[in-house]
Amino acid sequence: MPDARPLPRIGRHPLPNRVILAPMAGVTDRPFRRLCREQGAGLVVGEMVTADPGLWHTRKSRLRMDHRGEPGPRSVQIAGGDAAMLAEAARRNVAMGAEIIDINMECPAKKVCNKAAGSALLRDEALVTEILEAVVAAVHVPVTLKIRTGWCADSNNGVRVARLAESAGIQALAVHGRHRQQRYTGEAEYETIAAIKAAVEIPVFANGDIDSPEKATRIFDYTGADAVMIGRGAQGNPWIFGEIDHYLQHGEHRAPPSDRERARVLHQHLADLHDFYGQPMGVRIARKHLGWYLNGDSRLTESDRRRLKAEFNGLEAPATQYRFIVKLLSHDFTQAASGAARPVSSDGTSAA
């Protein structure tokens, strides 16, 4: 049955559906956010940005903070362990156009946790409160929070942190169903998310291992979450947002994208990457995205995927990447592989 509840809001921003793109460092850049929004994501969140403005001069930070031309609401995620620095980072990002500030207390990466940021903050609830109150007070836009269930299995304090967040003025909470020490291993659990949803009144977004409309529906039924947040399930599969939204509304699957539509989407995604990053960086970044698309192609065996990835990774110009996609999706993949395997020169022309 369709979910009859009102759609969630983040402060003054109503969401058009219940499917959100999770922030992912190195993935949710402006081209990918644009693509996922086009394919039905009700909200997209940018890559994690350090709260230290002394590091914003780097090319990586400048690209992560680039939201030019994007429709609202523009959500920017910041990370750090110092309340005053996070508050200042929030103010500066709002001045540059951010309409929602998201605070990262979820990232399990060592280089983040070693700086007492990301999910490491969950070990210090007093500091969590200090940070949340400082950031909320610093800006006039809604502030959201992303957490894990806790630091470790013996410290699953997600419910307490959720209550602290609500008291501090956080407008919505995303919860990844793993503790930090799990990183991305094992299976996500949703009991803690259900407990958090029962404990607070603010919108709660369930995150972790959501890769199909059926899985999303089961999580909604089990947790009562207001939306699902898709991370790795969207890598190579931006259609998942529209598929889940359609299933939630109609209780049935929509038709999968045709090969022609897949080719159009891949071509546009690569064109956006080439334009956003320039050369040769755009060509290099396109390789990981094409690898994810190949992972989701059910026509392929693992051997096929390895061979096709190796061939695509050897292409050094946009033109040859585009030709690879056309051959892959307009012919049998064995023919595409054979055609893509022809030697190419560094300027993108096929060798004789």
Side-chain angles (χ1 to χ4, degrees), residues 308 311 324 326-329 331-341:
L308 290 168
E311 290 167 358
F324 181 100
V326 171
K327 291 178 180 178
L328 181 70
L329 293 172
H331 300 80
D332 179 83
F333 73 87
T334 56
Q335 295 174 334
S338 175

Side-chain angles (χ1 to χ4, degrees), residues 23-334:
M24 292 179 282
V27 181
T28 54
D29 53 20
R30 196 177 75 190
F32 193 68
R33 295 195 301 271
R34 170 181 167 174
L35 171 59
C36 292
R37 194 187 293 271
E38 176 189 287
Q39 295 301 322
L43 177 71
V44 299
V45 186
E47 299 177 79
M48 178 178 65
V49 176
T50 176
D52 185 353
L55 301 176
W56 290 359
H57 67 281
T58 66
R59 187 166 190 256
K60 178 188 289 187
S61 291
R62 291 199 307 271
L63 289 171
R64 287 187 174 187
M65 298 168 71
D66 189 339
H67 290 255
R68 289 175 296 174
E70 290 190 76
R74 292 181 293 278
S75 179
V76 174
Q77 186 181 75
I78 57 176
D82 180 84
M85 186 176 289
L86 281 158
E88 180 61 21
R91 281 190 288 266
R92 293 193 185 198
N93 275 282
V94 169
M96 291 185 288
E99 296 171 289
I100 297 171
I101 294 295
D102 186 59
I103 302 173
N104 184 303
M105 295 189 184
E106 184 269 344
C107 181
K110 284 185 178 181
K111 66 180 180 180
V112 175
C113 290
N114 287 345
K115 297 179 181 178
S119 55
L121 292 168
L122 300 176
R123 294 179 294 182
D124 188 340
E125 294 177 17
L127 180 56
V128 167
T129 300
E130 181 185 356
I131 287 171
L132 298 182
E133 291 179 347
V135 175
V136 169
V139 293
H140 64 276
V141 304
V143 180
T144 60
L145 174 66
K146 190 163 193 278
I147 65 171
R148 289 194 164 223
T149 58
W151 174 256
C152 64
D154 295 328
S155 178
N156 245 28
N157 60 339
V159 171
R160 291 199 304 274
V161 171
R163 288 180 172 139
L164 292 174
E166 184 174 46
S167 296
I170 292 298
Q171 298 292 297
L173 177 68
V175 186
H176 184 116
R178 288 180 172 88
H179 54 72
R180 188 269 171 180
Q181 290 188 356
Q182 287 178 279
R183 298 177 181 269
Y184 296 100
T185 62
E187 295 184 357
E189 58 93 356
Y190 308 105
E191 291 86 355
T192 303
I193 299 177
I196 288 172
K197 174 59 186 171
V200 298
E201 297 295 327
I202 59 176
V204 173
F205 308 145
N207 175 229
D209 296 352
I210 302 168
D211 57 6
S212 70
E214 291 88 351
K215 184 71 173 286
T217 301
R218 291 197 300 272
I219 290 171
F220 276 120
D221 291 342
Y222 186 81
T223 66
D226 300 277
V228 289
M229 179 172 274
I230 312 297
R232 291 173 294 164
Q235 294 175 357
N237 185 23
W239 301 278
I240 192 171
F241 299 98
E243 290 170 351
I244 291 175
D245 184 41
H246 183 90
Y247 194 84
L248 292 175
Q249 291 191 52
H250 304 288
E252 61 182 16
H253 290 278
R254 73 175 190 182
S258 65
D259 284 348
R260 182 175 183 178
E261 173 62 9
R262 286 171 60 85
R264 183 197 70 80
V265 168
L266 266 66
H267 190 286
Q268 184 61 58
H269 188 189
L270 264 62
D272 286 348
L273 289 171
H274 298 148
D275 179 67
F276 184 67
Y277 289 104
Q279 301 308 320
M281 190 175 181
V283 166
R284 292 200 303 269
I285 290 176
R287 292 168 182 162
K288 68 181 177 184
H289 285 279
L290 195 280
W292 290 327
Y293 285 113
L294 291 174
N295 288 342
D297 193 326
S298 60
R299 300 174 301 167
L300 307 177
T301 66
E302 283 304 311
S303 177
D304 296 328
R305 293 187 182 100
R306 286 194 297 270
R307 183 177 70 254
L308 290 168
K309 288 177 185 179
E311 290 167 358
F312 189 81
N313 289 346
L315 304 179
E316 298 181 358
T320 55
Q321 291 187 335
Y322 298 144
R323 286 201 291 272
F324 181 100
I325 291 170
V326 171
K327 291 178 180 178
L328 181 70
L329 293 172
S330 62
H331 300 80
D332 179 83
F333 73 87
T334 56

